[in-house]
Amino acid sequence: QDFFLSSRYTPPPRSITQERNSSITGTKRHIDTKDPKTHTTMTAIALAPSTADVSSGGVLSLLEEQENPLRIAALERLNAVVDQFWHEIADYLTDIESLYEDTSFPGRALAALVASKVFYHLEEYGDALRLALGAGHLFDLSERSEYIEKIVSVAIDQYVESRAENFEAAEIRKQEGEPIDPRLEDVVKRMFDRCMEDKAYKQGLGMALETRRLDMVKTFIMASDDIPDMLEYCQTTALSVVTLKAFREKVLEQLVDIYASTKEDVNYTSVCQCYFLLGQPEKVARVLKDLMDRNDKAGRLMAYQVAFDIVDNENQHFCNVLLSSPLLTIKEPAPPAAPPATEGSAEGEAAAAPMQVDSTEGGETMSDEDKEHFKQLRKILGGRASIDLHLEFLYRNNRSDLLLLETIKSSIDAKNSVTHNGTVIAHGLMQCGTTSDVFLRKNLDWLAKASNWAKFSATASLGVIHKGHIKESKSILSTYLPSGNGGFRGSPYSEGGALYAMGIIHANHYDEETKAYLLDQLHNSGTAEVLQHGACLGLGLVCMATADEAIYEELKATMYTDTAVAGEAAAYAIGLVMVGSASEKVIGELLTYAHDTQHEKIIRGCALALAMTMFRREEEADSLINQMLLDKDPILRYGACFCIALAYVGTSQNAAIKKLLHISVSDVHDDVRRAAVMALGFVLCNCPEQLPGVVKLLSESYNPHVRYAAAMALGIACAGSAQADAHALLEPLMSDGTDFVRQAAIIAMGMLYMQTAPGKTERVKTFREKLLKVIADKHEDVMTRFGAILANGIMDAGGRNSCASFFSKSGVLRPGAAIGFCLFAQMWYWFPLIHMFSLVLTPNALIGLTEKLKIPKNFQFKSGVKPSLFAYPEPMQPPKKEEQAKTATAVLSTAAKAKAVKEKKEKEKEAELAKASSSNDVDMDEKGTVDENVSVAGAVSVAGTQASVAATPGTTVVGSVATESVAADDLASEHMEVDDQPAAGSASAAKEATPKVADEASGEGKEKTEAETKTVKVEEQPEPTEEILNNPCRVLKGQQQYITFPTEIEGQPVRYTPVLRGQRRVGFLLLKDNRPDEAEDLFLEDEAPAGQDGEAEPEPPAPFEWNENE
């Protein structure tokens, strides 16, 4: 008997009574089965949807039937309507799961799929995934639905977690991992196949990296149509997404293998960056040697480009190993037989070793041309080429606003040492690397007011100004350095500051002579703690990241003297020398001494030194971090937070973030909580857009130390980004009730808006005005004013050409920047460490170079964006006299009463005189004439003032006010056209003026005003949407995406094209000369930069005869 189920049919059997209200109709497809109870032939039902389903109750009742075909048909129908009626089906989940668990039920997979979808709607994704895996191939990944996408995402997450645990167990703990569900692996495999079919290679590559599948990484790269692009994408993703160091290194090794198998169009810069990250200098030396041996210009240019990129990564040890490699030595013919070696000759050989000249007998020697090429390569690897070029760029493009400094100097109280010191430090940062100390030389009396440690800091600021000027460091500081015999020529504070300044000049650029000099000064300092302090800091900076054992022993001896000032500096210096070394000996001795000493300064120095030794060690640092976090001394726990910051800097590691957040709300000491929140800025510096969301609640904390740290973390991670989210968090903190929170917010805002033009956002202009207002406010707290002064220096750092950045131009983390930020954050305890901010600054320059490392003038490129978006900020203009506000004069109440009485008596006398002379005539015209004469004289004086102000061009020379004389070439400048106006000093002409003349003058003024208005209207033109930039120039981070290198400019073919073909848009670019036969137009070192002609020395006077009698 066939049963056709419908809403109109009501059959008597009880077994189907529950279906009478169903809205489901049958079809004519029948499957014969046997009823086990009645042994009659039954027909299975295939259910079709009704046109208006309002409930699934009827279908659900079929699940209670004993017939498998009925239950299968019900499951099929439920699978179709589960998205609409999941809330009803949820009551039958137990029955559906029991069908899945019944191994004899033929529709187990279908039951699992239906149950999985119900759990998905209930947001029980774990159970949904478990049942989806049980559904087998009914879980169709080709279906595009929210359910499929979500469950696949959960499956991949679970697979990623399992693979990560197994990888860590195998690679780190050397244990066997847990087996992974093969059904889960099958889902992931099918997702890989889906990506391959859709040609979504980058998505597949990203999934392969997250799931630790190196085999699939190679598969997706090789299957791509653009293998170089996929290699670059994989390298970038591995550095930013992969958080486990061991796996990241395996990915880089895989990339190196793929690069090696690629014979054509090899990206040598990326290959060498991989070797650099893997710590394999010998492989880089081999690549450089092969490029140099090609004996063509293209190979040499590429070798120079690779060398510049390696040096830009700021790893002295790596570069020193490259320079000592026999592959890169200059081969000379064997010298004639020398006499037997003596002690003196051995010393001579040792002194000549750094030159790396390889003498060969009968071997292959280099030609003179090859020697020159290798000398240039070694000059680049030694860091001298990049230093000199950056100095040249910063000197030529210096846009420091000295009038701003004059305004700050005049706004502060000269007797306040804090604001005085802040102004000196701000000036140092403004002129960092520009070698321009005009402001200090013109204000020597003001500068001499610094005393004690302020004098130490002021002298050290000279090192910031001349940073990188390593050729002349001694001559620059000769006035302040200690005398050769160990005696003191001046204040020990200025001499100690000079030693610190020498270290800043040579920071991260190892120099044997400077190291020896600073070591001698440390030995000769005796018991002078200030000199020891400066010498230790200088030694640490010069020998940064060299892991020099001899220097370590010297610094350790100074630290063991147990004097607070010298010991603190020695501890910091040990950390600088041992950056990233993870030396067990150093760690053990620092920890032991930190527990033995009673000086908090030394303990803090040891804690930070421990943090620096673990730079980028990631998981290797966990044992030391946990040990320090469990210490009872809060200073060591403070150091543990910075250890997390430096070990995981730029990794966005979830475990590190979680640990820091826990410390920030759980530790009982404010210093530790402050350090934990600041450390978040280091860990998240590679994705600063995520940091505001992480610290949002912390910025609203009741604890001012946490709010301070939240502001500093935002400034450190988001420097130069002008993020709106970061601004929204910092703005309320600038009005915080606690002075040091306001200081941190202002400093962080200064870092946020580094090199941000007003054309990009008006917030910059408002913030600059706010800074000047805070500095000039005598009622504002001195700490806040100090922060505002410092923020001005940070915003205009490096002559407005440098920006704080954790990463090099090629995207590699800069050790100097991370260490600089870490020590800069210690300004809370020690102001001189603010100078360490100079380590984080890097010029945002695009410098094109020829084969001989010269800068060609006629290399041009295009910026496809409005110039105002990335223009230099407008310099301050001297205030006009008529705009200066008149200050209100204080009047005493007694004086006011006396004045009122006097005025009353004068009025009475005038009334009496008026009555006495009522019969006489009064010449009213005379009075009018006098009044008008006065008005004319006033008008002339105002006009003269305007002329004097207008004649001053918009330069930033110190003291460029209207009363000073102006050079003739400045008057002829095109800054402003000024009509001839009468001199203000012609008083007699003003007295003889008549009303008619005044009327004519006013009429002419009106006509001129109208004419000028019309002229302005005519001259107004829309801003161009692109501009042509000349070599060298400033290119900001946000501007890089708009930089292009066209083949033609203004209809003329370009002469120079970059070797990297547009892959790099900032930094040093080696150029291919398309017209080598033509003469080159180059910048010469002795040329004066544009705009500084006025500073040139005058020519000597003409010859003349001297006569004493005349």
Side-chain angles (χ1 to χ4, degrees):
Q1 181 179 2
D2 293 337
F3 293 92
F4 295 95
L5 304 178
S6 70
S7 58
R8 298 184 300 276
Y9 183 70
T10 310
R14 191 196 62 80
S15 61
I16 56 173
T17 301
Q18 297 174 356
E19 284 77 37
R20 64 180 55 168
N21 294 325
S22 174
S23 59
I24 311 302
T25 58
T27 67
K28 296 182 179 179
R29 183 167 59 91
H30 307 296
I31 301 175
D32 293 334
T33 59
K34 290 286 186 179
D35 188 328
K37 294 182 179 179
T38 61
H39 301 285
T40 58
T41 302
M42 302 276 300
T43 303
I45 309 301
L47 305 178
S50 172
T51 56
D53 292 343
V54 294
S55 175
S56 62
V59 180
L60 288 169
S61 63
L62 287 177
L63 297 176
E64 298 181 2
E65 291 292 333
Q66 298 300 317
E67 309 299 330
N68 286 340
L70 288 174
R71 290 188 287 188
I72 292 173
L75 290 172
E76 289 176 349
R77 181 68 187 118
L78 290 175
N79 185 44
V81 299
V82 66
D83 292 334
Q84 289 78 31
F85 300 110
W86 60 268
H87 51 285
E88 295 181 7
I89 303 173
D91 294 335
Y92 289 80
L93 266 177
T94 305
D95 297 336
I96 297 173
E97 281 197 82
S98 64
L99 292 176
Y100 162 66
E101 293 169 359
D102 184 1
T103 56
S104 62
F105 181 61
R108 292 184 63 226
L110 184 58
L113 182 63
V114 173
S116 173
K117 290 183 178 181
V118 175
F119 276 118
Y120 159 74
H121 286 291
L122 292 171
E123 297 185 2
E124 297 288 343
Y125 300 125
D127 290 328
L129 174 61
R130 173 178 58 84
L131 291 163
L133 295 177
H137 285 279
L138 290 180
F139 182 59
D140 187 7
L141 300 183
S142 62
E143 180 185 339
R144 308 287 178 170
S145 66
E146 293 182 4
Y147 163 73
I148 293 293
E149 298 297 334
K150 180 61 181 179
I151 300 304
V152 166
S153 175
V154 174
I156 293 175
D157 288 344
Q158 185 172 327
Y159 185 75
V160 166
E161 185 179 351
S162 301
R163 289 281 300 178
E165 290 177 358
N166 289 349
F167 186 87
E168 291 181 18
E171 297 293 330
I172 299 176
R173 297 191 297 271
K174 307 300 180 184
Q175 301 173 353
E176 292 186 4
E178 295 292 331
I180 299 176
D181 190 340
R183 298 175 303 174
L184 192 62
E185 289 188 339
D186 180 64
V187 171
V188 176
K189 180 180 178 301
R190 283 190 283 157
M191 275 304 299
F192 282 134
D193 295 340
R194 174 177 159 184
C195 290
M196 195 68 73
E197 290 173 4
D198 297 344
K199 294 187 176 181
Y201 300 118
K202 289 188 176 180
Q203 288 85 341
L205 178 61
M207 192 168 70
L209 288 172
E210 288 203 35
T211 56
R212 310 287 197 273
R213 292 286 299 272
L214 285 173
D215 56 333
M216 296 307 298
V217 168
K218 184 173 183 179
T219 300
F220 278 107
I221 291 175
M222 300 307 293
S224 172
D225 299 330
D226 189 354
I227 293 179
D229 181 61
M230 284 293 290
L231 286 167
E232 185 179 354
Y233 175 78
C234 182
Q235 184 173 342
T236 305
T237 307
L239 296 177
S240 59
V241 174
V242 178
T243 58
L244 192 64
K245 183 180 179 182
F247 181 69
R248 190 187 312 125
E249 291 178 349
K250 287 187 174 294
V251 173
L252 294 174
E253 291 172 357
Q254 182 80 59
L255 291 178
V256 168
D257 293 340
I258 298 174
Y259 276 123
S261 63
T262 306
K263 301 300 181 184
E264 297 180 359
D265 197 19
V266 180
N267 190 337
Y268 291 102
T269 56
S270 296
V271 173
C272 291
Q273 289 296 347
C274 289
Y275 285 138
F276 173 83
L277 294 168
L278 292 170
Q280 298 177 353
E282 65 282 353
K283 299 287 184 65
V284 177
R286 169 53 61 188
V287 172
L288 292 174
K289 175 68 172 173
D290 292 344
L291 288 171
M292 296 295 287
D293 288 346
R294 281 168 50 176
N295 290 327
D296 62 350
K297 185 178 289 187
R300 289 193 297 274
L301 289 175
M302 184 57 72
Y304 296 160
Q305 185 70 64
V306 169
F308 272 118
D309 289 350
I310 294 297
V311 171
D312 194 33
N313 296 336
E314 297 184 2
N315 190 321
Q316 288 195 88
H317 180 70
F318 193 93
C319 292
N320 290 339
V321 174
L322 279 178
L323 289 170
S324 62
S325 171
L327 294 172
L328 301 179
T329 54
I330 300 173
K331 300 186 184 299
E332 295 281 0
T342 62
E343 184 178 353
S345 64
E347 293 177 359
E349 290 176 5
M355 295 174 63
Q356 292 298 322
V357 177
D358 187 12
S359 299
T360 59
E361 290 188 14
E364 188 176 329
T365 59
M366 292 183 178
S367 64
D368 292 340
E369 186 179 0
D370 289 341
K371 289 177 186 176
E372 288 299 320
H373 295 154
F374 270 87
K375 283 181 181 178
Q376 288 205 134
L377 180 65
R378 294 180 62 81
K379 180 181 178 182
I380 297 171
L381 291 173
R384 294 298 294 272
S386 57
I387 292 172
D388 294 343
L389 290 167
H390 276 152
L391 274 177
E392 185 74 12
F393 168 78
L394 291 172
Y395 175 65
R396 289 182 179 277
N397 294 272
N398 186 7
R399 297 292 191 279
S400 295
D401 194 347
L402 299 188
L403 189 58
L404 173 62
L405 280 168
E406 284 288 342
T407 305
I408 294 173
K409 183 173 80 74
S410 60
S411 300
I412 62 174
D413 184 2
K415 296 180 181 179
N416 191 318
S417 64
V418 176
T419 53
H420 181 279
N421 192 23
T423 307
V424 175
I425 294 173
H427 169 260
L429 294 177
M430 279 187 187
Q431 301 284 14
C432 179
T434 64
T435 70
S436 174
D437 53 3
V438 178
F439 178 79
L440 295 182
R441 285 190 277 109
K442 290 193 175 184
N443 294 277
L444 289 176
D445 294 339
W446 172 81
L447 184 64
K449 294 179 181 179
S451 61
N452 297 335
W453 284 107
K455 182 177 289 187
F456 177 93
S457 182
T459 312
S461 71
L462 291 174
V464 179
I465 295 170
H466 296 276
K467 182 176 181 293
H469 202 182
I470 57 180
K471 293 180 183 178
E472 306 293 337
S473 59
K474 278 191 178 179
S475 61
I476 292 168
L477 301 171
S478 59
T479 309
Y480 308 97
L481 289 171
S483 59
N485 56 10
F488 298 143
R489 290 189 303 176
S491 167
Y493 292 98
S494 61
E495 292 180 352
L499 296 175
Y500 182 20
M502 181 169 284
I504 294 174
I505 291 175
H506 293 265
N508 213 6
H509 294 289
Y510 180 79
D511 181 67
E512 188 70 32
E513 183 183 351
T514 307
K515 182 188 83 169
Y517 175 79
L518 289 171
L519 203 55
D520 288 342
Q521 295 302 324
L522 180 62
H523 292 156
N524 297 333
S525 61
T527 58
E529 287 190 65
V530 181
L531 283 179
Q532 289 178 331
H533 189 91
C536 287
L537 289 177
L539 267 175
L541 289 168
V542 172
C543 303
M544 183 174 170
T546 57
D548 191 325
E549 286 290 335
I551 294 296
Y552 165 69
E553 293 297 333
E554 293 284 351
L555 294 170
K556 185 176 69 173
T558 304
M559 184 177 68
Y560 281 173
T561 59
D562 207 39
T563 53
V565 175
E568 179 188 27
Y572 285 140
I574 288 173
L576 288 168
V577 173
M578 293 293 171
V579 165
S581 65
S583 169
E584 293 184 3
K585 173 188 174 185
V586 175
I587 292 171
E589 290 177 347
L590 286 174
L591 273 175
T592 302
Y593 191 67
H595 287 106
D596 291 344
T597 185
Q598 300 299 314
H599 295 290
E600 287 189 359
K601 284 178 174 288
I602 299 178
I603 298 173
R604 186 176 301 108
C606 290
L608 285 167
L610 288 167
M612 287 186 267
T613 58
M614 283 298 176
F615 173 74
R616 282 312 290 266
R617 287 291 175 170
E618 300 182 28
E619 294 84 6
E620 299 175 38
D622 285 345
S623 59
L624 176 62
I625 291 169
N626 293 331
Q627 181 181 354
M628 295 174 71
L629 284 176
L630 295 174
D631 202 285
K632 292 184 294 185
D633 192 338
I635 301 179
L636 285 177
R637 298 202 303 273
Y638 173 90
C641 295
F642 279 102
C643 193
I644 297 173
L646 294 179
Y648 291 96
V649 58
T651 62
S652 300
Q653 231 265 10
N654 288 333
I657 296 172
K658 184 178 179 180
K659 189 174 293 185
L660 290 171
L661 288 173
H662 175 71
I663 297 170
S664 66
V665 297
S666 63
D667 200 279
V668 296
H669 203 278
D670 286 337
D671 288 355
V672 182
R673 298 177 69 176
R674 187 177 68 248
V677 178
M678 272 195 287
L680 290 170
F682 289 79
V683 178
L684 287 167
C685 68
N686 62 326
C687 48
E689 65 279 355
Q690 295 184 10
L691 184 62
V694 175
V695 301
K696 185 177 186 304
L697 293 178
L698 295 172
S699 67
E700 301 169 359
S701 170
Y702 72 93
N703 190 326
H705 292 265
V706 175
R707 299 198 301 274
Y708 171 96
M712 291 297 289
L714 287 168
I716 288 170
C718 306
S721 65
Q723 271 192 43
D725 292 341
H727 175 92
L729 294 182
L730 290 173
E731 191 171 24
L733 293 178
M734 289 174 62
S735 305
D736 196 273
T738 308
D739 55 355
F740 60 81
V741 177
R742 295 197 300 274
Q743 181 197 68
I746 290 174
I747 292 174
M749 195 80 87
M751 288 191 275
L752 182 70
Y753 287 124
M754 290 182 76
Q755 292 193 335
T756 303
K760 187 174 182 181
T761 171
E762 285 294 326
R763 298 193 301 267
V764 186
K765 186 177 180 181
T766 306
F767 176 62
R768 285 184 180 272
E769 293 171 354
K770 170 78 172 175
L771 289 181
L772 292 177
K773 184 179 178 182
V774 170
I775 294 170
D777 187 359
K778 305 295 183 183
H779 302 288
E780 182 61 80
D781 191 89
V782 67
M783 295 302 295
T784 308
R785 297 176 70 193
F786 177 85
I789 296 170
L790 197 58
N792 269 310
I794 290 172
M795 288 182 73
D796 295 341
R800 293 179 171 172
N801 290 297
S802 297
C803 188
S805 175
F806 273 100
F807 297 93
S808 67
K809 305 297 187 297
S810 55
V812 178
L813 186 75
R814 298 171 53 223
I819 301 303
F821 268 126
C822 176
L823 293 175
F824 170 73
Q826 309 313 310
M827 61 176 281
W828 179 277
Y829 303 101
W830 196 229
F831 272 174
L833 291 178
I834 296 176
H835 294 307
M836 292 294 184
F837 191 81
S838 61
L839 298 180
V840 313
L841 297 175
T842 178
N844 281 346
L846 192 156
I847 305 176
L849 299 172
T850 63
E851 183 187 10
K852 295 182 180 180
L853 306 185
K854 300 296 183 182
I855 304 175
K857 294 181 179 179
N858 50 351
F859 170 52
Q860 296 180 318
F861 43 94
K862 184 182 293 185
S863 173
V865 70
K866 292 181 179 180
S868 62
L869 288 179
F870 301 104
Y872 286 101
E874 288 294 328
M876 282 188 69
Q877 299 294 337
K880 297 180 180 180
K881 291 184 179 179
E882 62 268 22
E883 291 180 357
Q884 293 179 351
K886 294 183 179 180
T887 56
T889 305
V891 180
L892 297 176
S893 58
T894 55
K897 291 179 180 178
K899 184 178 179 181
V901 170
K902 184 178 180 181
E903 288 177 353
K904 184 178 180 181
K905 289 181 179 179
E906 288 178 354
K907 286 181 180 179
E908 291 177 353
K909 287 182 180 180
E910 288 177 359
E912 292 176 359
L913 289 173
K915 290 180 181 179
S917 59
S918 58
S919 59
N920 297 332
D921 295 333
V922 180
D923 187 2
M924 301 301 295
D925 294 338
E926 185 179 354
K927 184 177 180 181
T929 304
V930 172
D931 290 342
E932 289 178 355
N933 286 340
V934 173
S935 67
V936 172
V940 173
S941 65
V942 171
T945 304
Q946 290 176 347
S948 64
V949 175
T952 306
T955 58
T956 56
V957 181
V958 177
S960 58
V961 294
T963 56
E964 291 190 356
S965 61
V966 184
D969 55 349
D970 288 340
L971 288 174
S973 65
E974 297 178 0
H975 289 282
M976 186 181 297
E977 295 181 0
V978 183
D979 295 327
D980 294 336
Q981 296 183 7
S986 56
S988 60
K991 291 180 180 179
E992 296 174 3
T994 62
K996 182 178 179 181
V997 174
D999 293 338
E1000 290 176 358
S1002 62
E1004 288 177 3
K1006 292 178 181 178
E1007 291 174 3
K1008 286 182 180 181
T1009 305
E1010 293 175 359
E1012 288 173 358
T1013 306
K1014 292 179 181 178
T1015 304
V1016 170
K1017 290 182 179 178
V1018 171
E1019 291 178 355
E1020 283 184 358
Q1021 294 179 355
E1023 185 180 2
T1025 57
E1026 60 183 28
E1027 65 176 329
I1028 301 299
L1029 302 176
N1030 295 312
N1031 184 44
C1033 74
R1034 184 183 76 157
V1035 175
L1036 305 185
K1037 184 177 181 181
Q1039 190 178 6
Q1040 294 177 27
Q1041 57 184 321
Y1042 303 107
I1043 298 296
T1044 56
F1045 302 98
T1047 56
E1048 290 186 359
I1049 293 180
E1050 297 179 354
Q1052 297 294 327
V1054 297
R1055 176 169 181 177
Y1056 299 100
T1057 53
V1059 173
L1060 295 182
R1061 306 175 196 170
Q1063 299 173 11
R1064 188 81 50 77
R1065 297 178 178 87
V1066 71
F1068 297 109
L1069 295 181
L1070 271 297
L1071 304 175
K1072 178 183 177 183
D1073 190 352
N1074 299 321
R1075 298 194 293 272
D1077 298 333
E1078 299 180 9
E1080 292 184 312
D1081 188 10
L1082 306 173
F1083 282 103
L1084 301 178
E1085 293 182 0
D1086 55 351
E1087 283 185 0
Q1092 297 189 10
D1093 296 337
E1095 296 183 5
E1097 294 185 5
E1099 294 183 1
F1104 61 92
E1105 294 183 2
W1106 172 255
N1107 190 346
E1108 295 182 358
N1109 298 328
E1110 294 182 357

